[in-house]
Coordinates of all heavy atoms in Angstrom, one line a residue:
M1 N 91.7 25.7 53.3 CA 91.2 27.0 52.6 C 89.8 26.7 52.2 O 89.5 25.6 51.6 CB 92.1 27.3 51.5 CG 91.6 28.5 50.7 SD 92.8 28.9 49.4 CE 92.8 30.6 49.8
Q2 N 88.9 27.6 52.5 CA 87.5 27.4 52.1 C 87.2 28.1 50.8 O 87.4 29.3 50.7 CB 86.6 27.9 53.2 CG 86.8 27.1 54.5 CD 85.7 27.2 55.5 OE1 84.8 27.9 55.3 NE2 85.7 26.3 56.4
T3 N 86.7 27.4 49.8 CA 86.6 27.9 48.5 C 85.2 27.6 47.9 O 84.5 26.7 48.5 CB 87.6 27.4 47.4 OG1 87.4 26.0 47.3 CG2 89.0 27.7 47.9
L4 N 84.7 28.3 46.9 CA 83.5 27.9 46.3 C 83.5 26.5 45.7 O 82.5 25.8 45.8 CB 83.2 28.9 45.1 CG 82.8 30.3 45.6 CD1 82.8 31.2 44.3 CD2 81.5 30.3 46.3
T5 N 84.7 26.1 45.2 CA 84.8 24.7 44.7 C 84.5 23.7 45.8 O 83.8 22.7 45.6 CB 86.2 24.5 44.0 OG1 86.4 25.4 43.0 CG2 86.3 23.1 43.5
L6 N 85.1 23.9 47.0 CA 85.0 23.0 48.1 C 83.5 23.0 48.5 O 82.9 21.9 48.8 CB 85.9 23.4 49.2 CG 85.8 22.5 50.5 CD1 86.2 21.0 50.1 CD2 86.7 23.0 51.6
A7 N 82.9 24.1 48.6 CA 81.5 24.2 49.0 C 80.7 23.4 47.9 O 79.8 22.7 48.3 CB 81.0 25.6 49.1
N8 N 80.9 23.6 46.7 CA 80.2 22.9 45.6 C 80.3 21.3 45.8 O 79.4 20.6 45.6 CB 80.6 23.3 44.3 CG 80.1 24.7 43.9 OD1 79.0 25.0 44.2 ND2 81.0 25.5 43.2
I9 N 81.6 20.9 46.1 CA 81.8 19.5 46.2 C 80.9 18.9 47.4 O 80.3 17.9 47.3 CB 83.3 19.2 46.4 CG1 84.0 19.5 45.1 CG2 83.6 17.8 46.9 CD1 85.6 19.5 45.2
Y10 N 81.0 19.7 48.5 CA 80.2 19.2 49.7 C 78.7 19.2 49.4 O 78.0 18.2 49.7 CB 80.5 20.2 50.9 CG 81.7 20.0 51.7 CD1 82.6 19.0 51.3 CD2 81.9 20.8 52.8 CE1 83.8 18.8 52.0 CE2 83.1 20.6 53.6 CZ 84.0 19.6 53.2 OH 85.1 19.4 53.9
E11 N 78.3 20.2 48.7 CA 76.8 20.3 48.3 C 76.5 19.1 47.4 O 75.4 18.4 47.6 CB 76.5 21.6 47.6 CG 75.1 21.8 47.4 CD 74.8 23.2 46.9 OE1 75.7 24.1 46.8 OE2 73.7 23.4 46.5
L12 N 77.3 18.8 46.4 CA 77.0 17.6 45.6 C 77.0 16.3 46.3 O 76.3 15.4 45.9 CB 78.1 17.6 44.4 CG 78.0 18.7 43.4 CD1 79.1 18.7 42.4 CD2 76.5 18.6 42.6
Q13 N 77.9 16.2 47.3 CA 77.9 15.0 48.1 C 76.8 14.9 49.2 O 76.7 13.9 49.9 CB 79.3 14.9 48.8 CG 80.4 14.7 47.9 CD 81.7 14.6 48.6 OE1 81.9 15.1 49.7 NE2 82.8 14.1 47.9
G14 N 75.9 15.9 49.2 CA 74.8 15.9 50.2 C 75.2 16.4 51.5 O 74.4 16.4 52.4
L15 N 76.3 17.1 51.6 CA 76.7 17.7 52.9 C 76.3 19.1 52.9 O 77.2 20.0 52.9 CB 78.3 17.5 53.0 CG 78.8 16.0 53.0 CD1 80.3 16.0 53.0 CD2 78.3 15.3 54.3
K16 N 75.0 19.3 52.9 CA 74.5 20.7 52.7 C 74.8 21.6 53.8 O 75.1 22.8 53.6 CB 73.0 20.6 52.4 CG 72.8 19.8 51.1 CD 71.3 19.8 50.7 CE 71.0 18.8 49.5 NZ 71.8 18.9 48.4
E17 N 74.8 21.2 55.0 CA 75.1 22.0 56.2 C 76.5 22.5 56.2 O 76.9 23.7 56.4 CB 74.8 21.3 57.5 CG 73.4 21.0 57.8 CD 72.5 22.3 58.0 OE1 73.1 23.2 58.5 OE2 71.4 22.3 57.6
E18 N 77.4 21.6 55.8 CA 78.8 21.9 55.7 C 79.1 23.0 54.6 O 79.8 23.9 54.7 CB 79.7 20.7 55.5 CG 79.8 19.7 56.7 CD 78.6 18.8 56.8 OE1 77.6 18.9 56.1 OE2 78.7 17.8 57.6
A19 N 78.4 22.7 53.4 CA 78.5 23.6 52.3 C 78.0 25.0 52.7 O 78.6 26.1 52.3 CB 77.8 23.1 51.1
L20 N 76.9 25.0 53.3 CA 76.3 26.3 53.8 C 77.2 27.1 54.7 O 77.4 28.3 54.5 CB 74.9 26.0 54.5 CG 74.2 27.3 54.9 CD1 73.8 28.1 53.7 CD2 72.9 26.9 55.7
E21 N 77.9 26.5 55.6 CA 78.9 27.1 56.5 C 80.1 27.7 55.6 O 80.5 28.8 55.9 CB 79.4 26.2 57.6 CG 78.3 25.7 58.5 CD 77.7 26.9 59.2 OE1 78.4 28.0 59.6 OE2 76.4 27.0 59.3
I22 N 80.5 27.0 54.7 CA 81.6 27.5 53.8 C 81.1 28.7 53.0 O 81.9 29.7 52.9 CB 82.1 26.3 52.9 CG1 82.8 25.3 53.7 CG2 83.1 26.9 51.8 CD1 83.2 24.1 52.8
Y23 N 80.0 28.6 52.4 CA 79.5 29.8 51.7 C 79.3 30.9 52.6 O 79.6 32.1 52.2 CB 78.1 29.4 51.1 CG 78.1 28.5 49.9 CD1 77.4 27.3 49.9 CD2 78.9 28.8 48.8 CE1 77.3 26.5 48.8 CE2 78.9 27.9 47.7 CZ 78.1 26.7 47.8 OH 78.2 25.9 46.6
K24 N 78.8 30.7 53.8 CA 78.8 31.8 54.8 C 80.1 32.5 55.1 O 80.3 33.7 55.1 CB 78.1 31.4 56.1 CG 76.6 31.2 55.9 CD 76.0 30.7 57.2 CE 74.5 30.5 57.1 NZ 73.9 29.9 58.4
D25 N 81.1 31.6 55.3 CA 82.5 32.1 55.6 C 83.0 32.9 54.3 O 83.7 34.0 54.5 CB 83.4 31.0 55.9 CG 83.2 30.4 57.3 OD1 82.6 31.1 58.1 OD2 83.7 29.3 57.5
I26 N 82.7 32.4 53.1 CA 83.2 33.1 52.0 C 82.5 34.5 51.9 O 83.2 35.5 51.6 CB 82.8 32.3 50.7 CG1 83.8 31.1 50.7 CG2 83.0 33.1 49.4 CD1 83.4 30.0 49.6
L27 N 81.2 34.6 52.2 CA 80.5 35.8 52.2 C 81.0 36.8 53.2 O 81.1 38.0 53.0 CB 79.0 35.6 52.3 CG 78.1 36.7 51.9 CD1 78.3 37.0 50.4 CD2 76.7 36.3 52.1
K28 N 81.5 36.3 54.4 CA 82.1 37.2 55.4 C 83.4 37.8 54.9 O 83.6 39.0 55.1 CB 82.4 36.4 56.7 CG 81.3 36.0 57.5 CD 81.7 35.2 58.7 CE 80.6 34.6 59.4 NZ 81.1 33.6 60.5
N29 N 84.1 37.1 54.1 CA 85.4 37.6 53.6 C 85.3 38.4 52.3 O 86.1 39.2 52.0 CB 86.4 36.4 53.4 CG 86.8 35.8 54.7 OD1 86.9 36.4 55.7 ND2 86.9 34.5 54.7
D30 N 84.2 38.1 51.6 CA 83.9 38.7 50.3 C 82.4 39.0 50.2 O 81.7 38.3 49.5 CB 84.4 37.9 49.2 CG 84.1 38.5 47.8 OD1 83.8 39.7 47.7 OD2 84.3 37.7 46.8
P31 N 81.9 40.1 50.8 CA 80.5 40.4 50.9 C 79.8 40.6 49.5 O 78.6 40.5 49.4 CB 80.4 41.7 51.7 CG 81.7 41.8 52.5 CD 82.8 41.0 51.7
A32 N 80.6 40.9 48.5 CA 80.1 41.1 47.1 C 80.0 39.7 46.4 O 79.5 39.8 45.2 CB 80.9 42.1 46.4
N33 N 80.4 38.6 46.9 CA 80.4 37.4 46.2 C 79.0 36.9 45.9 O 78.3 36.3 46.8 CB 81.2 36.3 47.0 CG 81.4 35.1 46.2 OD1 80.5 34.5 45.6 ND2 82.7 34.7 46.2
S34 N 78.6 37.1 44.7 CA 77.2 36.8 44.3 C 76.9 35.3 44.3 O 75.8 34.9 44.6 CB 76.8 37.4 42.9 OG 77.6 36.9 41.9
E35 N 77.9 34.5 43.9 CA 77.7 33.0 43.9 C 77.5 32.5 45.3 O 76.6 31.6 45.5 CB 78.9 32.4 43.3 CG 78.7 30.9 42.9 CD 79.8 30.3 42.2 OE1 80.6 31.0 41.5 OE2 79.8 29.0 42.2
A36 N 78.2 33.0 46.3 CA 77.9 32.6 47.7 C 76.6 33.1 48.2 O 75.9 32.3 48.8 CB 79.0 33.1 48.5
K37 N 76.2 34.3 47.8 CA 74.8 34.7 48.2 C 73.7 33.8 47.6 O 72.8 33.4 48.4 CB 74.6 36.2 47.7 CG 75.4 37.2 48.4 CD 75.2 38.6 47.8 CE 76.0 39.6 48.4 NZ 75.8 41.0 47.8
I38 N 73.9 33.5 46.4 CA 72.8 32.6 45.7 C 72.8 31.3 46.4 O 71.7 30.7 46.7 CB 73.1 32.6 44.2 CG1 72.8 33.9 43.6 CG2 72.3 31.4 43.6 CD1 73.4 34.0 42.1
A39 N 73.9 30.7 46.6 CA 74.0 29.4 47.3 C 73.5 29.4 48.7 O 72.7 28.5 49.0 CB 75.5 28.9 47.3
I40 N 73.7 30.4 49.4 CA 73.1 30.5 50.8 C 71.6 30.6 50.7 O 71.0 29.9 51.5 CB 73.7 31.8 51.5 CG1 75.2 31.5 51.8 CG2 72.9 32.1 52.7 CD1 75.9 32.8 52.3
R41 N 71.1 31.4 49.8 CA 69.6 31.4 49.6 C 69.0 30.1 49.3 O 68.1 29.7 49.8 CB 69.2 32.5 48.6 CG 69.3 33.9 49.2 CD 68.6 34.9 48.3 NE 69.2 35.0 47.0 CZ 70.1 36.0 46.6 NH1 70.4 36.9 47.5 NH2 70.6 36.1 45.4
R42 N 69.7 29.5 48.3 CA 69.2 28.1 47.8 C 69.3 27.1 49.0 O 68.3 26.4 49.2 CB 70.1 27.7 46.6 CG 69.7 26.3 46.1 CD 70.5 25.9 45.0 NE 72.0 25.6 45.4 CZ 73.0 26.3 45.1 NH1 72.9 27.4 44.3 NH2 74.2 26.0 45.5
L43 N 70.4 27.1 49.7 CA 70.5 26.0 50.8 C 69.6 26.3 51.9 O 69.1 25.4 52.5 CB 71.9 25.9 51.2 CG 72.9 25.2 50.1 CD1 74.3 25.2 50.6 CD2 72.4 23.8 49.9
S44 N 69.5 27.6 52.3 CA 68.6 28.0 53.3 C 67.2 27.6 53.0 O 66.4 27.2 53.9 CB 68.7 29.5 53.7 OG 70.0 29.8 54.1
G45 N 66.8 27.8 51.8 CA 65.4 27.5 51.3 C 65.2 26.0 51.3 O 64.1 25.6 51.8
V46 N 66.2 25.2 51.1 CA 66.1 23.7 51.1 C 65.8 23.3 52.5 O 65.0 22.5 52.9 CB 67.3 23.0 50.5 CG1 67.3 21.6 50.9 CG2 67.3 23.2 49.0
R47 N 66.6 23.9 53.5 CA 66.5 23.5 54.9 C 65.0 23.9 55.4 O 64.4 23.1 56.1 CB 67.5 24.3 55.7 CG 67.9 23.6 56.8 CD 69.2 24.2 57.4 NE 69.2 25.6 57.4 CZ 70.1 26.4 57.9 NH1 71.2 25.8 58.5 NH2 70.1 27.6 57.9
K48 N 64.5 25.0 55.1 CA 63.2 25.4 55.5 C 62.1 24.5 54.9 O 61.1 24.2 55.6 CB 63.0 26.9 55.2 CG 63.8 27.9 56.0 CD 63.5 29.3 55.5 CE 64.4 30.3 56.2 NZ 64.4 31.6 55.6
K49 N 62.3 24.2 53.6 CA 61.3 23.4 52.9 C 61.0 22.0 53.6 O 60.0 21.6 53.7 CB 61.8 23.2 51.5 CG 60.9 22.3 50.6 CD 61.4 22.2 49.2 CE 60.6 21.3 48.5 NZ 61.3 21.0 47.1
F50 N 62.1 21.4 54.2 CA 62.0 20.1 54.7 C 61.9 20.1 56.2 O 61.8 19.0 56.8 CB 63.1 19.3 54.2 CG 63.1 18.9 52.8 CD1 63.9 19.5 51.9 CD2 62.1 18.0 52.3 CE1 63.8 19.1 50.5 CE2 62.1 17.6 51.0 CZ 62.9 18.2 50.1
L51 N 61.8 21.3 56.9 CA 61.9 21.3 58.3 C 60.6 20.6 58.9 O 60.8 19.7 59.7 CB 61.9 22.7 58.8 CG 62.3 23.0 60.2 CD1 63.7 22.3 60.4 CD2 62.4 24.4 60.5
K52 N 59.5 20.9 58.5 CA 58.2 20.3 58.9 C 58.1 18.8 58.5 O 57.8 18.0 59.3 CB 57.0 21.1 58.5 CG 55.7 20.5 59.0 CD 54.5 21.3 58.5 CE 53.3 20.8 59.1 NZ 52.1 21.4 58.5
V53 N 58.5 18.6 57.3 CA 58.4 17.3 56.7 C 59.3 16.3 57.5 O 59.0 15.1 57.8 CB 58.7 17.2 55.2 CG1 58.8 15.8 54.7 CG2 57.7 18.0 54.5
N54 N 60.5 16.8 57.9 CA 61.4 16.0 58.6 C 60.9 15.4 59.9 O 61.0 14.3 60.3 CB 62.7 16.6 58.8 CG 63.6 16.8 57.6 OD1 63.4 15.9 56.7 ND2 64.5 17.6 57.6
S55 N 60.2 16.3 60.6 CA 59.6 15.9 61.9 C 58.5 14.9 61.7 O 58.3 13.9 62.4 CB 59.1 17.1 62.7 OG 58.1 17.7 62.0
Q56 N 57.7 15.1 60.6 CA 56.6 14.1 60.3 C 57.2 12.8 59.9 O 56.8 11.7 60.3 CB 55.8 14.7 59.1 CG 54.9 15.8 59.5 CD 54.2 16.5 58.3 OE1 54.7 16.2 57.2 NE2 53.2 17.3 58.5
M57 N 58.3 12.8 59.1 CA 58.9 11.5 58.6 C 59.6 10.9 59.8 O 59.7 9.6 59.8 CB 59.8 11.8 57.5 CG 59.1 12.2 56.2 SD 57.7 11.0 55.7 CE 58.6 9.6 55.2
K58 N 60.1 11.6 60.7 CA 60.8 11.0 61.9 C 59.8 10.2 62.6 O 60.0 9.0 63.1 CB 61.4 12.1 62.8 CG 62.0 11.5 64.0 CD 62.5 12.7 64.9 CE 63.0 12.2 66.3 NZ 63.3 13.3 67.2
E59 N 58.6 10.7 62.9 CA 57.5 10.0 63.6 C 57.1 8.8 62.8 O 56.9 7.7 63.3 CB 56.3 10.9 63.8 CG 56.5 12.0 64.9 CD 56.9 11.4 66.2 OE1 56.2 10.4 66.6 OE2 57.8 11.9 66.8
F60 N 57.0 8.9 61.5 CA 56.6 7.8 60.5 C 57.7 6.7 60.7 O 57.4 5.5 60.8 CB 56.5 8.3 59.2 CG 56.1 7.2 58.2 CD1 54.8 6.8 58.1 CD2 57.1 6.7 57.3 CE1 54.5 5.8 57.1 CE2 56.7 5.7 56.4 CZ 55.4 5.3 56.3
F61 N 59.0 7.1 60.6 CA 60.1 6.2 60.7 C 60.1 5.4 62.0 O 60.3 4.2 62.0 CB 61.4 7.0 60.6 CG 62.7 6.1 60.7 CD1 63.0 5.3 59.7 CD2 63.4 6.1 61.9 CE1 64.2 4.5 59.8 CE2 64.5 5.4 62.0 CZ 64.9 4.5 61.0
I62 N 59.8 6.0 63.1 CA 59.8 5.4 64.4 C 58.7 4.3 64.4 O 58.9 3.2 65.0 CB 59.6 6.4 65.6 CG1 60.9 7.3 65.7 CG2 59.2 5.8 66.9 CD1 60.7 8.5 66.5
K63 N 57.5 4.6 63.8 CA 56.4 3.7 63.9 C 56.3 2.7 62.8 O 55.5 1.8 62.9 CB 55.1 4.6 64.0 CG 55.0 5.4 65.2 CD 53.9 6.3 65.2 CE 53.9 7.2 66.5 NZ 52.7 8.1 66.5
M64 N 57.0 2.9 61.7 CA 56.8 2.0 60.5 C 57.2 0.6 60.9 O 58.2 0.3 61.5 CB 57.5 2.5 59.3 CG 59.1 2.5 59.4 SD 59.7 3.2 57.9 CE 61.4 2.9 58.2
D65 N 56.4 -0.4 60.3 CA 56.8 -1.8 60.5 C 56.3 -2.8 59.4 O 56.5 -3.9 59.5 CB 56.1 -2.3 61.8 CG 54.7 -2.2 61.8 OD1 54.1 -1.7 60.9 OD2 54.0 -2.7 62.8
T66 N 55.8 -2.2 58.3 CA 55.5 -3.1 57.2 C 56.4 -2.8 56.0 O 57.0 -1.7 55.9 CB 54.0 -2.8 56.7 OG1 53.9 -1.5 56.1 CG2 53.1 -3.0 57.8
D67 N 56.5 -3.7 55.0 CA 57.3 -3.4 53.8 C 56.8 -2.2 53.0 O 57.6 -1.5 52.5 CB 57.2 -4.7 52.9 CG 58.1 -5.9 53.5 OD1 59.0 -5.5 54.3 OD2 57.9 -7.0 53.1
V68 N 55.5 -2.0 53.0 CA 54.9 -0.9 52.3 C 55.4 0.4 52.9 O 55.8 1.3 52.2 CB 53.4 -0.9 52.3 CG1 52.8 0.3 51.7 CG2 52.9 -2.2 51.5
E69 N 55.4 0.5 54.2 CA 55.9 1.7 54.9 C 57.4 1.9 54.7 O 57.8 3.1 54.5 CB 55.6 1.6 56.4 CG 54.1 1.7 56.7 CD 53.8 1.4 58.1 OE1 54.5 0.6 58.8 OE2 52.7 2.0 58.6
F70 N 58.2 0.8 54.7 CA 59.6 1.0 54.4 C 59.9 1.5 53.0 O 60.7 2.3 52.8 CB 60.3 -0.4 54.6 CG 60.5 -0.8 56.1 CD1 59.8 -1.8 56.7 CD2 61.5 -0.1 56.8 CE1 60.0 -2.0 58.0 CE2 61.8 -0.4 58.1 CZ 61.0 -1.4 58.7
K71 N 59.1 1.0 52.0 CA 59.2 1.4 50.6 C 58.8 3.0 50.6 O 59.5 3.7 49.8 CB 58.4 0.6 49.7 CG 59.0 -0.7 49.4 CD 60.3 -0.6 48.6 CE 60.8 -2.0 48.3 NZ 62.1 -1.9 47.6
E72 N 57.8 3.3 51.2 CA 57.3 4.7 51.2 C 58.4 5.7 51.8 O 58.7 6.7 51.3 CB 56.0 4.9 52.0 CG 55.5 6.3 51.9 CD 54.2 6.4 52.7 OE1 53.5 5.5 52.9 OE2 53.9 7.6 53.1
F73 N 59.1 5.2 52.9 CA 60.1 6.0 53.6 C 61.3 6.1 52.6 O 61.9 7.1 52.5 CB 60.5 5.4 54.9 CG 61.4 6.2 55.7 CD1 61.0 7.4 56.3 CD2 62.7 5.9 55.8 CE1 61.9 8.2 57.0 CE2 63.7 6.7 56.5 CZ 63.2 7.8 57.1
E74 N 61.6 5.0 51.9 CA 62.8 4.9 51.0 C 62.5 5.9 49.9 O 63.4 6.7 49.5 CB 62.9 3.5 50.5 CG 64.1 3.4 49.5 CD 64.3 2.0 49.0 OE1 63.3 1.3 48.8 OE2 65.4 1.6 48.7
R75 N 61.3 6.0 49.3 CA 61.0 6.9 48.3 C 61.1 8.3 48.7 O 61.6 9.2 48.1 CB 59.6 6.7 47.7 CG 59.4 5.5 46.8 CD 58.1 5.5 46.0 NE 57.0 5.3 47.0 CZ 56.5 4.1 47.4 NH1 57.1 3.0 47.0 NH2 55.5 4.0 48.2
W76 N 60.7 8.6 50.0 CA 60.8 10.0 50.6 C 62.3 10.4 50.7 O 62.6 11.5 50.4 CB 60.1 10.1 51.9 CG 60.3 11.4 52.5 CD1 59.5 12.5 52.3 CD2 61.3 11.7 53.5 NE1 60.0 13.5 53.0 CE2 61.1 13.1 53.8 CE3 62.3 11.1 54.1 CZ2 62.0 13.8 54.7 CZ3 63.2 11.8 55.0 CH2 62.9 13.1 55.3
L77 N 63.1 9.5 51.2 CA 64.5 9.8 51.3 C 65.1 10.1 50.0 O 65.9 11.1 49.8 CB 65.3 8.6 51.9 CG 65.2 8.4 53.4 CD1 65.8 7.1 53.9 CD2 65.7 9.6 54.2
L78 N 64.8 9.3 49.0 CA 65.4 9.5 47.7 C 65.0 10.9 47.1 O 65.7 11.7 46.6 CB 65.0 8.5 46.7 CG 65.6 7.1 46.9 CD1 65.1 6.0 46.1 CD2 67.2 7.2 46.7
K79 N 63.7 11.2 47.3 CA 63.2 12.6 46.9 C 63.9 13.7 47.7 O 64.2 14.7 47.1 CB 61.7 12.6 47.0 CG 61.0 13.8 46.5 CD 59.6 13.8 46.6 CE 58.9 15.0 46.2 NZ 57.5 15.1 46.4
A80 N 64.0 13.5 48.9 CA 64.5 14.6 49.8 C 66.0 14.9 49.4 O 66.5 16.0 49.5 CB 64.4 14.2 51.3
W81 N 66.8 13.9 49.0 CA 68.2 14.1 48.8 C 68.5 14.4 47.3 O 69.6 14.6 47.0 CB 69.0 12.9 49.3 CG 69.0 12.9 50.8 CD1 68.3 12.1 51.6 CD2 69.8 13.7 51.6 NE1 68.6 12.4 52.9 CE2 69.4 13.4 53.0 CE3 70.6 14.8 51.4 CZ2 69.9 14.1 54.1 CZ3 71.2 15.5 52.5 CH2 70.9 15.0 53.8
N82 N 67.5 14.4 46.4 CA 67.8 14.7 45.1 C 67.2 16.0 44.7 O 66.5 16.7 45.3 CB 67.2 13.7 44.1 CG 68.0 12.4 44.3 OD1 69.2 12.4 44.4 ND2 67.3 11.2 44.3

């Protein structure tokens, strides 16, 4: 059963795509569910925000080879997931 609670748990665990799908399913069954609407807008915005950055960081990740670059990538990951 897909519930707001399950979606919230997924979101807190960093499983944002899975949470987004649950929120969308909830909204299909209950189009007036304001909590699902807000969550969909929030998660969709997060995905758009990091779309360009992700491709840039992917290239950086492929090419990095120094400790400084590894630390920079680590900082970016922590920032992206918080």
Side-chain angles (χ1 to χ4, degrees):
M1 176 176 232
Q2 300 201 347
T3 64
L4 290 170
T5 302
L6 181 59
N8 285 325
I9 290 169
Y10 279 3
E11 192 173 347
L12 289 171
Q13 291 178 339
L15 303 170
K16 299 186 186 311
E17 292 295 325
E18 291 84 347
L20 184 58
E21 290 306 312
I22 293 172
Y23 288 125
K24 287 179 181 179
D25 286 343
I26 291 169
L27 199 58
K28 283 180 196 172
N29 295 322
D30 180 11
N33 190 310
S34 60
E35 192 172 338
K37 287 179 186 178
I38 292 167
I40 290 168
R41 281 194 296 264
R42 181 181 65 250
L43 289 175
S44 294
V46 167
R47 209 169 40 178
K48 289 176 187 173
K49 179 181 173 184
F50 289 106
L51 200 57
K52 182 178 179 190
V53 175
N54 284 339
S55 62
Q56 290 172 343
M57 290 311 286
K58 178 182 172 186
E59 290 300 315
F60 180 77
F61 176 74
I62 291 169
K63 295 176 182 175
M64 67 183 185
D65 64 356
T66 67
D67 286 340
V68 172
E69 291 172 331
F70 283 105
K71 286 291 184 189
E72 183 179 338
F73 187 74
E74 181 180 33
R75 281 192 297 273
W76 176 83
L77 281 175
L78 291 170
K79 184 179 177 184
W81 288 105
N82 290 319

